[in-house]
Amino acid sequence: MRTTVDINDELFRAAKAYAAQHNLTMRQLLEQALRDALDDTRTSRSRATPPPLPSFAGNGARHGIDLTDNAALLDAMDAQS
């Protein structure tokens, strides 16, 4: 399909130089740039961000309870219920 696009002069010159250095036509360069942009959009949508982990309000651990001691934790939970 043939179309007309307005491109900033400086950007056009840079693109034309890039195409020449890489032995590409402007058409090839523009088509590849569009494909890459569209692929990036699809890829970023497929990588969904996981939901944040829940947080809970509280005053932290009670004084005197060793959080690395399972037996102390179980005793504290039993005493609370």
Side-chain angles (χ1 to χ4, degrees):
M1 172 184 262
R2 184 177 288 273
T3 189
T4 302
V5 180
D6 275 337
I7 299 176
N8 172 283
D9 290 342
E10 187 176 326
L11 179 60
F12 180 77
R13 282 191 293 274
K16 197 168 182 179
Y18 180 92
Q21 289 172 349
H22 292 88
N23 201 28
L24 298 169
T25 65
M26 282 297 291
R27 177 184 182 148
Q28 291 169 323
L29 177 62
L30 291 172
E31 285 180 355
Q32 188 58 52
L34 286 170
R35 281 189 190 94
D36 291 347
L38 293 172
D39 285 346
D40 286 349
T41 301
R42 286 187 206 113
T43 304
S44 65
R45 267 192 262 136
S46 67
R47 282 187 252 147
T49 305
L53 295 174
S55 61
F56 302 93
N59 296 332
R62 287 193 332 207
H63 180 69
I65 298 178
D66 181 3
L67 297 178
T68 62
D69 183 355
N70 287 342
L73 289 170
L74 290 172
D75 289 344
M77 289 188 296
D78 287 340
Q80 191 174 14
S81 54

